[in-house]
Amino acid sequence: MYLDVPKGFICDRLEGDHGESIYKYFYRDSSMVYITTFINTPNYNYIREQGTYYQKFETQNSGDTLLLQGVDSLGFCWKNKSFGKISVGYKRVSLKNKELYDKIINSFRRRRRR
């Protein structure tokens, strides 16, 4: 699983007991990009507040694609794009940087570029 993330990040990686993993890329402005196979993503609370958790859960099990997004109470953008058991997303992104972070999410691919 690959994303084209801009330089300047601090990466945090976690492996679960059943083969799940999450990579979080943190930036100085407090924004974060992630790629995960855990069912609950860093945007879990936003997805719950939005009332779309059941859709997210169904997508995880059906293999469909689902895009969930919104703006938090501080005016920062968040997004979660699910591809079956894989989710990519971001949180704490300013409106002025949203386009850049959308490009990062859209760069998702399952294989490394040659």
Side-chain angles (χ1 to χ4, degrees):
M1 304 178 300
Y2 299 93
L3 288 172
D4 296 332
V5 292
K7 293 181 181 182
F9 60 82
I10 295 173
C11 183
D12 183 29
R13 178 181 177 196
L14 176 67
E15 297 285 332
D17 292 336
H18 303 287
E20 311 95 335
S21 63
I22 185 167
Y23 292 83
K24 298 179 193 175
Y25 302 91
F26 296 94
Y27 291 91
R28 286 184 169 198
D29 64 358
S30 83
S31 61
M32 187 248 293
V33 174
Y34 63 86
I35 185 166
T36 185
T37 57
F38 282 100
I39 189 150
N40 291 330
T41 73
N43 285 323
Y44 171 81
N45 289 338
Y46 302 131
I47 293 168
R48 280 295 236 198
E49 287 173 13
Q50 195 176 64
T52 52
Y53 182 77
Y54 184 74
Q55 289 173 284
K56 165 77 174 82
F57 181 78
E58 284 295 309
T59 299
Q60 187 96 8
N61 292 320
S62 69
D64 290 339
T65 300
L66 178 66
L67 175 64
L68 301 171
Q69 60 186 336
V71 177
D72 70 17
S73 61
L74 298 174
F76 290 106
C77 302
W78 65 271
K79 183 177 273 190
N80 187 89
K81 198 169 188 179
S82 297
F83 304 92
K85 296 193 181 297
I86 301 169
S87 290
V88 296
Y90 59 73
K91 66 189 287 184
R92 293 187 302 270
V93 171
S94 66
L95 193 54
K96 74 176 185 171
N97 289 332
K98 185 179 183 311
E99 188 175 324
L100 169 65
Y101 281 78
D102 285 341
K103 286 180 183 177
I104 296 168
I105 298 308
N106 291 331
S107 75
F108 170 75
R109 59 201 179 280
R110 293 178 191 266
R111 294 195 175 127
R112 187 179 294 215
R113 289 191 177 133
R114 295 177 189 236

